[in-house]
Amino acid sequence: IEIENLKSENISNKIVTSENEELKALIEDYSLTSNKILAKVIVDHNSPFLKSLIINKGSKDNIRIGTNIYDRNYLVGKVVEVNYTTSRVLLISDLNSNIPVSIAPGNIQAIVNGDGKNAGEIKYIKGSLVDELQEKSIVYTSGAGSIFRSGIPIGKITIDNKENSKKIFVNFYSDFTQLKYVFAEIINEKVIQNKKNSDVDNEEILNE
């Protein structure tokens, strides 16, 4: 019994050590990216969405509706509800998620819809360039519509050729079922004010 207890204790210690190392790596990433804060993922049992999660950061941490959420450098979703200490994140795999993207090579503009599972599907391609898409082409946010900033990696293309149709899927870089910690991109009030001041200055210059 004592040997079994020791084995169990060793396994628990290894798990704790592993989690601590993972958290340390994430904190190091955070320290290098000053506009992102680390948040812990809480299971979302009462979500009106198929794919969402709760994080332990809210309005007190400057989280807002529309805040981008990342798994390291990969986009996983955006905040759709904010409380004082927690927020709900709509994952990009949810059926309600629509993301303007660019596909490389070729800088092809498209829209990705979540499939309600763990992937996305290309629903619209600008200029009917569907035949130019290639397997494993890289998909990243285009910044169109100011929904997400541009250049955030999302995933890679998979093409499903059938007799009468061609479906194009996006395999996301992140496994949303394994997320324990994420990053929330915080927009500093000072940055916003500086941008407003810059816009005013630009307007004054144009009017001179």
Side-chain angles (χ1 to χ4, degrees):
I1 295 173
E2 288 182 2
I3 293 173
E4 288 181 357
N5 288 338
L6 283 172
K7 285 182 178 179
S8 177
E9 186 176 341
N10 286 335
I11 291 171
S12 297
N13 287 338
K14 285 181 180 179
I15 291 171
V16 170
T17 300
S18 176
E19 287 183 347
N20 286 341
E21 288 175 354
E22 181 182 3
L23 185 57
K24 182 182 177 183
L26 288 169
I27 290 171
E28 285 174 355
D29 278 351
Y30 157 70
S31 66
L32 296 174
T33 315
S34 59
N35 66 329
K36 292 179 184 176
I37 61 171
L38 190 65
K40 186 174 183 179
V41 173
I42 304 169
V43 178
D44 189 4
H45 293 294
N46 301 311
S47 173
F49 306 103
L50 287 174
K51 294 291 180 178
S52 70
L53 51 84
I54 298 291
I55 58 173
N56 69 338
K57 300 293 180 183
S59 58
K60 73 178 182 66
D61 307 291
N62 293 323
I63 300 292
R64 304 174 178 183
I65 290 176
T67 295
N68 291 348
I69 303 297
Y70 301 84
D71 173 15
R72 294 183 183 269
N73 292 321
Y74 303 133
L75 182 69
V76 299
K78 66 177 179 178
V79 171
V80 291
E81 292 179 13
V82 181
N83 295 311
Y84 187 65
T85 58
T86 61
S87 301
R88 174 173 279 131
V89 178
L90 180 71
L91 296 174
I92 57 176
S93 57
D94 189 87
L95 290 170
N96 294 288
S97 178
N98 300 292
I99 311 165
V101 299
S102 293
I103 303 170
N107 194 30
I108 298 170
Q109 304 300 299
I111 300 290
V112 175
N113 284 58
D115 68 353
K117 297 176 183 177
N118 293 304
E121 184 176 352
I122 300 291
K123 291 292 188 178
Y124 168 78
I125 299 176
K126 187 176 181 180
S128 301
L129 299 173
V130 63
D131 291 330
E132 295 188 19
L133 292 179
Q134 305 170 21
E135 283 275 350
K136 296 185 179 180
S137 292
I138 297 172
V139 181
Y140 55 94
T141 55
S142 67
S146 300
I147 300 171
F148 299 100
R149 66 177 176 82
S150 62
I152 309 170
I154 294 178
K156 290 186 177 181
I157 291 289
T158 297
I159 300 174
D160 184 7
N161 284 304
K162 294 185 178 180
E163 290 183 7
N164 299 320
S165 65
K166 181 178 185 178
K167 288 193 172 183
I168 302 163
F169 296 97
V170 178
N171 290 324
F172 297 129
Y173 287 126
S174 298
D175 182 352
F176 306 136
T177 64
Q178 300 300 314
L179 293 176
K180 291 186 286 186
Y181 298 95
V182 293
F183 287 108
E185 185 174 38
I186 301 303
I187 300 176
N188 191 291
E189 290 290 345
K190 189 175 181 180
V191 171
I192 294 172
Q193 189 59 47
N194 287 341
K195 184 180 185 306
K196 287 180 178 177
N197 291 339
S198 176
D199 290 342
V200 170
D201 291 341
N202 289 336
E203 286 180 12
E204 289 177 351
I205 292 169
L206 289 171
N207 291 331
E208 286 179 354

